[in-house]
């Protein structure tokens, strides 16, 4: 890792796609922006043609440590995050042991700090051991050194309505938010893929859209009733979008995220029975994909979250119903968003910065991240080359796991450099 | 045709070729020496992850009648039950030089997955709730034998369509062969997108029966009764069971089929099952001929199916 005192001059970079300028990074902050900025002794980075974005923030990353270090560790996951242009990620709580106490969240937080590639912000479980029945010590996790603000039983739905109400109310005391994995458990017993024509053809038990939508509708009503903040994880259906739009129009304080894979891939891919496409929530239809893109563009869906879910190869090279659910996503998120939102004209780069940095940082109450690239702000910066195209090959990935659904696909763009508080974690695409 | 994974993989010509070849091969069963040299030197592996003695024996008899070497690989008590993955098993079969693998598996798509990992032909002998194409072929064969045709034949498929690999394969194959299929079931036992399938749908068995040339009863698994797919066995039987009164409402020459094993009394009354218009035992015999035809067409090669008589 470089010395924090090093000064960097990003020469000719496009800040949010504006005219090329020079950006000076010194002492961990942005010290100057403009044409012809210069500084003696600065290390010059030729950034001609590159886009500068505020360092990306992920609300939804599975780092697998503690418990499944064969799939990913905090260190390997934070390296993958840096390579993907992230400067902060929220580590989901469904580890083993579950991150449901101050001790576990502090452990994850320290591992992240020691690795130093990216800020690791632990998410706390809503219920003890994700049992869905007893609240975890939310306040202790909030008060811990990790300063937890996002609570989620992700992987499982908080399906008990009364418990969900209590959780929403309780976290108001410290500005927390409940991030709900919306999945009605009875409607999705044994579910294997999106319920519809493809599941019927393939003889795989269906996962109906209504199982997600019914929980979102209920939770929006609960959040509105008790005046709490609610966040909906990985929205995947058109109906969910409509419900969230309606809830926002009523004044409900609800935010929502969508994953890159739900913006690009459809359930038709499951025809291969290749479990690389097995994910929770499942890949949906082209109509859902279109609705999700539209909702991300118009702000109904607030942000992009990766739901990075690493698994070792043997968990995927098996029969569909035995295979693990999930896909890695940190290293491909920005390219997939470019392809689905920029190249389609649905968003500009300022819109991407909003949805992949500022908004997730705001939802997660993450000070120092998601800040605009302005003089005096922390130098969390991602330099991105939007003009290249690359074939995705799991062999070249930094994550410990290679379960990417984009294998063999050509995607646009490449993260050239990532700066965390002025220190490059990635330079020329390589981890530092 | 390299594998047989889905009844939908067969074109009309291919399906007819299987049925015609099966007819030719059926004659072998009538001879004193029930054996052909056609697949001598070929190895067929029966890879059964689910117990199904009937299906396994049918495939085994088919392969042996054509002189193939047969290896039975049952998941129970093998390395499979010790956690060996399907892929590792596939690599083992590959090393043994299996020319064909007949796979029965509880997981939909397992046959398709296996086909990625072995060089030999893969025959789907039932995968989860997906398909069972040789069952559909033997059903079509039986219908053609009994009714003399398939084109325009009106076939009612009755019962738990949702969980039935037999129903899925039958709808695809019978549509390809020009028959008109009507699925009859309570809405809880029909797939949500059944409206997009190449068949008609009814909730009313009494209305469909008089217009049916073939009534195919499906197996109802006991666990469905405990899971609110229908209220009670008695109500199911009243609405969708084939009893004597309903049987009387079928056209005089209409036949009754069942893939077996059947639940007498609930799905079908004993007297209907044992009537001369029931094809249940023929279906078993025809299964061997059809499976011989499929093995021959996938593994055989250039000789005629009957080949040169030896002995
Ligand atoms: Zn989730």
């Amino acid at each position: 890792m470089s010395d924090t005192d090093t000064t960097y001059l990003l020469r000719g970079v496009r800040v949010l796609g504006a005219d090329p300028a020079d950006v000076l990074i010194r002492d961990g902050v942005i010290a100057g922006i403009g044409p012809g900025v210069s500084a003696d002794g600065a290390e010059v980075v030729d950034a001609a043609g590159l886009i500068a974005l505020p360092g990306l923030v992920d609300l939804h990353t599975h780092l697998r440590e503690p418990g499944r270090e064969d799939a990913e560790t905090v260190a390997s996951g934070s390296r993958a995050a840096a390579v993907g242009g992230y400067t902060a990620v929220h580590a989901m709580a469904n580890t083993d042991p579950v991150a449901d106490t101050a001790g576990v969240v502090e452990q994850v937080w320290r591992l992240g700090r020691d690795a130093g590639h990216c800020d690791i912000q632990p998410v706390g479980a809503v219920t003890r051991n994700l049992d869905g029945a007893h609240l975890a010590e939310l306040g202790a996790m909030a008060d811990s050194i990790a300063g937890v603000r996002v609570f989620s039983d992700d992987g499982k739905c908080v399906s008990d309505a009364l418990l969900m109400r209590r959780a929403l109310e309780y976290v108001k005391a410290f500005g927390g938010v409940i991030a709900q994995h919306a999945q009605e458990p009875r409607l999705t017993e044994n579910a294997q893929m999106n319920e519809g024509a493809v599941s019927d053809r393939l003889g795989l038990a269906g996962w109906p859209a209504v199982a997600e939508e019914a929980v979102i509708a209920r939770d929006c009503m609960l959040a509105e009733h008790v005046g709490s903040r609610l966040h909906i994880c990985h929205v995947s259906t058109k109906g969910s979008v409509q419900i969230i739009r309606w809830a926002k129009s009523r004044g409900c304080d609800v935010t929502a995220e969508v994953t890159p894979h739900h913006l690009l891939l459809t359930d038709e891919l499951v025809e291969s029975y290749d479990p690389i496409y097995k994910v929770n929530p499942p890949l949906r239809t082209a109509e859902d994909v279109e609705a999700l893109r539209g909702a991300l563009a118009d702000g109904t869906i607030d942000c992009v979250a990766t739901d990075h879910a690493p698994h070792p190869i043997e968990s995927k090279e098996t029969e569909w119903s035995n295979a693990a659910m999930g896909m890695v996503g940190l290293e491909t998120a920005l390219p997939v968003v470019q392809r689905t939102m920029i190249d389609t004209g649905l968003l500009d780069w300022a819109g991407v910065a909003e949805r992949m940095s500022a908004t997730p940082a705001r939802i997660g109450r993450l000070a120092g991240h998601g800040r605009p690239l302005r003089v005096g702000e922390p130098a969390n910066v991602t330099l991105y080359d939007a003009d290249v195209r690359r074939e995705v090959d799991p062999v070249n990935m930094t994550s410990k796991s290679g379960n990417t659904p984009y294998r063999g696909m050509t995607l646009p763009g490449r993260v050239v450099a990532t700066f965390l508080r002025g220190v490059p974690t990635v330079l020329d695409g390589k981890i530092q | 045709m390299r594998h047989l994974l889905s009844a939908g993989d067969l074109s009309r010509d291919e399906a007819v070729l299987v049925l015609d070849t099966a007819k030719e091969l059926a004659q072998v069963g009538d001879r004193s020496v029930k054996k052909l040299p056609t697949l001598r030197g070929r190895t067929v592996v029966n890879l059964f992850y689910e117990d199904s003695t009937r299906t396994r024996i049918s495939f085994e008899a088919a392969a042996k009648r054509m002189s193939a070497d047969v290896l039975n690989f049952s998941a129970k008590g093998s390395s499979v039950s010790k956690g060996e993955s399907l892929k590792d098993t596939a690599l083992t079969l590959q090393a043994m030089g299996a020319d064909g693998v007949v796979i029965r598996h509880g997981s939909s798509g397992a046959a398709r997955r296996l086909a990625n990992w072995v060089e030999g032909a893969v025959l789907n002998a039932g995968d989860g709730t997906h398909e069972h194409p040789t069952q559909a072929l033997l059903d079509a064969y039986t219908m053609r034998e009994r009714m003399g045709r398939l084109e325009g034949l009106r076939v009612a498929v009755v019962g738990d369509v949702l969980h039935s690999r037999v129903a899925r394969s039958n709808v695809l194959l019978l549509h390809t062969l020009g028959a008109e299929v009507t699925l009859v079931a309570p809405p809880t036992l029909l797939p949500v997108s059944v409206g997009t399938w190449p068949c008609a749908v009814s909730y009313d068995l009494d209305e469909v029966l008089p217009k049916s040339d073939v009534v195919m009863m499906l197996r109802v698994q006991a666990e469905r009764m405990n899971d609110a797919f229908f209220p009670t066995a008695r109500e199911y039987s009243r609405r969708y069971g084939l009893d004597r009164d309903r049987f009387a409402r079928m056209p005089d020459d209409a036949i009754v089929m069942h893939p077996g094993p059947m639940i007498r009394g609930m799905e079908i009354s004993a007297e209907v099952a044992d009537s001369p218009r029931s094809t249940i035992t023929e279906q078993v015999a025809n299964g061997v001929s059809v499976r011989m035809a499929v093995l021959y067409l996938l593994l055989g090669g250039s000789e005629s199916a009957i080949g040169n008589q030896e002995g």
Side-chain angles (χ1 to χ4, degrees):
Chain A
M1 215 178 300
S2 309
D3 182 10
T4 39
D5 294 338
T6 308
T7 306
Y8 288 89
L9 183 63
L10 316 180
R11 180 95 70 195
V13 72
R14 290 150 62 200
V15 178
L16 292 183
D19 287 343
D22 298 340
V23 174
L24 183 67
I25 294 174
R26 182 192 286 142
D27 299 332
V29 297
I30 295 171
I33 299 180
V37 173
S38 67
D40 289 343
E43 204 161 302
V44 176
V45 177
D46 176 14
L50 303 183
I51 296 165
L53 294 166
L56 306 184
V57 176
D58 193 11
L59 269 177
H60 194 145
T61 307
H62 296 276
L63 291 178
R64 304 299 186 215
E65 188 177 7
R68 284 308 304 266
E69 290 82 356
D70 58 325
E72 195 82 284
T73 61
V74 172
S76 70
S78 60
R79 277 195 296 273
V83 167
Y86 287 87
T87 52
V89 304
H90 287 75
M92 270 300 168
N94 62 339
T95 47
D96 182 15
V98 169
D100 59 358
T101 60
V104 180
V105 294
E106 288 194 357
Q107 180 196 359
V108 171
W109 184 87
R110 282 179 210 282
L111 286 166
R113 186 195 55 184
D114 294 349
H117 305 291
C118 174
D119 284 352
I120 300 299
Q121 176 57 45
V123 172
V126 178
T127 66
R128 273 180 251 163
N129 203 29
L130 311 179
D131 71 359
H134 307 89
L135 284 182
E137 289 187 353
L138 308 174
M141 291 188 273
D143 292 344
S144 76
I145 191 167
V148 175
R149 290 295 176 273
V150 181
F151 298 90
S152 181
D153 275 1
D154 183 62
K156 284 184 171 177
C157 181
V158 180
S159 63
D160 182 305
L162 180 59
L163 193 86
M164 186 62 185
R165 174 196 169 143
R166 299 276 192 252
L168 285 165
E169 287 177 313
Y170 194 80
V171 299
K172 287 203 295 186
F174 36 83
V177 62
I178 305 296
Q180 176 69 294
H181 170 122
Q183 178 187 356
E184 211 299 307
R186 285 283 277 154
L187 288 174
T188 51
E189 278 174 13
N190 303 314
Q192 295 292 322
M193 68 170 295
N194 180 47
E195 180 175 281
V198 181
S199 68
D200 285 344
R201 192 155 65 237
L202 298 181
L204 290 171
W207 196 313
V210 68
E212 175 175 312
E213 294 155 2
V215 171
I216 295 176
R218 181 199 74 176
D219 289 353
C220 286
M221 299 307 288
L222 284 173
E224 186 183 324
H225 181 63
V226 300
S228 297
R229 278 207 297 149
L230 167 70
H231 179 72
I232 308 294
C233 295
H234 42 52
V235 170
S236 73
T237 80
K238 182 181 177 179
S240 297
V241 165
Q242 291 166 337
I243 291 163
I244 293 163
R245 189 174 287 139
W246 167 81
K248 284 186 168 180
S249 76
R250 288 170 61 100
C252 172
D253 193 359
V254 58
T255 54
E257 69 190 32
V258 63
T259 72
H261 49 270
H262 287 110
L263 291 172
L264 181 59
L265 310 175
T266 70
D267 65 350
E268 299 277 337
L269 289 163
V270 183
E271 296 271 8
S272 63
Y273 286 109
D274 186 341
I276 201 79
Y277 303 114
K278 186 173 177 180
V279 66
N280 176 352
L283 300 178
R284 305 285 188 183
T285 67
E287 198 183 352
D288 293 309
V289 167
E290 196 191 328
L292 293 169
R293 291 182 183 183
L296 184 63
D298 72 20
T300 303
I301 292 177
D302 303 82
C303 62
V304 174
T306 65
D307 196 6
H308 178 78
H311 290 291
I313 187 86
E314 57 272 21
S315 303
K316 288 290 190 181
E317 282 205 327
T318 179
E319 306 85 294
W320 181 276
S321 56
N322 292 347
M325 290 181 286
M327 308 167 161
V328 293
L330 286 168
E331 294 169 74
T332 47
L334 194 49
V336 172
V337 169
Q338 183 187 346
R339 170 150 165 191
T340 56
M341 302 301 294
I342 295 281
D343 293 354
T344 53
L346 287 165
L347 278 183
D348 58 14
W349 288 106
V352 169
E354 188 69 36
R355 286 158 182 80
M356 294 185 77
S357 180
T359 302
R362 177 171 51 77
I363 294 169
R365 298 284 198 261
L366 220 50
H369 288 276
R371 304 293 302 162
L373 296 181
R374 278 205 297 260
V375 173
E377 295 285 358
N380 296 319
V381 183
T382 298
L383 295 186
Y384 186 67
D385 183 351
D387 297 326
V388 299
R389 292 171 69 78
R390 290 195 304 169
E391 187 176 307
V392 178
D393 184 346
V395 170
N396 301 330
M397 295 188 118
T398 310
S399 169
K400 263 195 164 185
S401 295
N403 52 308
T404 171
Y406 312 112
R407 176 188 56 199
M409 197 183 278
T410 298
L411 290 175
R414 169 178 180 257
V415 171
V416 176
T418 309
F419 291 84
L420 175 63
R421 285 182 289 276
V423 179
T425 54
V426 170
L427 264 187
D428 196 23
K430 308 257 176 346
I431 195 85
Q432 296 300 294
Chain B
M1 194 167 79
R2 202 165 108 60
H3 307 292
L4 181 60
L5 306 177
S6 160
D9 294 345
L10 296 166
S11 68
R12 188 172 195 285
D13 286 350
E14 284 170 332
V16 169
L17 177 63
V18 173
L19 300 184
D20 290 346
T21 306
K23 174 106 177 156
E24 202 181 340
L25 289 164
Q27 301 162 18
V28 178
D30 301 331
R31 297 182 186 171
S32 53
V33 178
K34 295 182 172 51
K35 208 158 172 120
L36 297 170
T38 318
L39 296 182
R40 180 173 291 156
R42 306 293 170 96
T43 301
V44 175
V45 177
N46 283 325
L47 180 57
F48 275 55
Y49 286 79
E50 276 185 350
D51 283 334
S52 176
T53 311
R54 298 156 55 105
T55 306
R56 186 181 54 75
I57 289 176
S58 181
F59 271 105
E60 187 171 351
K64 284 184 169 167
R65 276 192 197 168
M66 293 188 294
S67 307
D69 295 321
V70 179
L71 300 174
N72 285 312
F73 195 170
S74 154
K76 273 198 184 147
S78 73
S79 53
V80 167
S81 60
K82 300 186 189 96
E84 182 176 283
S85 72
L86 180 62
K87 185 171 184 181
D88 288 336
T89 304
L91 298 178
T92 304
L93 301 179
Q94 185 82 318
M96 287 182 196
D99 298 293
V101 181
V102 176
I103 178 171
R104 174 69 159 254
H105 200 291
S107 187
S108 299
R112 169 81 191 258
R113 291 291 281 162
L114 184 68
N116 293 329
W117 297 321
V118 296
E119 275 165 33
V122 174
L123 273 94
N124 183 1
D127 61 331
T129 51
H130 177 224
E131 284 211 47
H132 194 359
T134 59
Q135 177 73 41
L137 284 161
L138 77 87
D139 289 339
Y141 183 90
T142 306
M143 288 177 217
R144 197 174 72 161
E145 286 298 292
R146 278 288 190 113
M147 310 303 286
R149 71 193 164 102
L150 287 166
E151 187 76 42
L153 207 62
R154 297 167 302 175
V155 181
V157 177
V158 185
D160 184 0
V161 175
L162 181 63
H163 304 96
S164 173
R165 51 194 174 206
V166 174
R168 264 181 190 70
S169 289
N170 264 295
V171 166
L172 293 170
L173 183 71
L174 290 170
H175 173 72
T176 301
L177 290 167
E180 296 164 16
V181 178
T182 302
L183 299 174
V184 186
T188 47
L189 289 175
L190 288 166
V192 284
S193 76
V194 72
T196 64
W197 287 20
C199 60
V201 175
S202 170
Y203 308 138
D204 185 352
L205 181 57
D206 289 312
E207 193 225 15
V208 173
L209 280 180
K211 299 179 284 187
S212 300
D213 303 306
V214 177
V215 177
M216 182 185 296
M217 303 303 292
L218 297 173
R219 176 124 185 262
V220 178
Q221 316 243 331
E223 60 263 32
R224 311 291 173 226
M225 278 177 251
N226 305 320
D227 216 3
F229 285 98
F230 47 85
T232 62
R234 184 172 61 180
E235 174 157 324
Y236 180 88
S237 184
R238 276 193 193 138
R239 293 173 66 83
Y240 298 102
L242 191 59
D243 60 9
R244 183 184 17 193
D245 290 348
R246 285 213 166 93
F247 189 51
R249 259 172 262 149
M250 290 166 51
D252 289 342
D253 60 345
I255 57 170
V256 175
M257 306 182 76
H258 195 296
M262 56 193 152
I263 305 176
R264 286 172 186 260
M266 180 179 161
E267 299 156 3
I268 190 165
S269 70
E271 61 180 307
V272 175
D274 298 335
S275 95
R277 283 160 61 193
S278 149
T279 63
I280 293 165
T281 49
E282 279 158 71
Q283 284 172 269
V284 175
N286 293 340
V288 176
S289 309
V290 161
R291 285 164 182 137
M292 286 174 77
V294 171
L295 284 168
Y296 167 71
L297 291 168
L298 287 176
L299 306 180
S302 51
E303 312 155 56
S304 104
I306 302 285
N308 297 318
Q309 278 293 131
E310 286 185 34

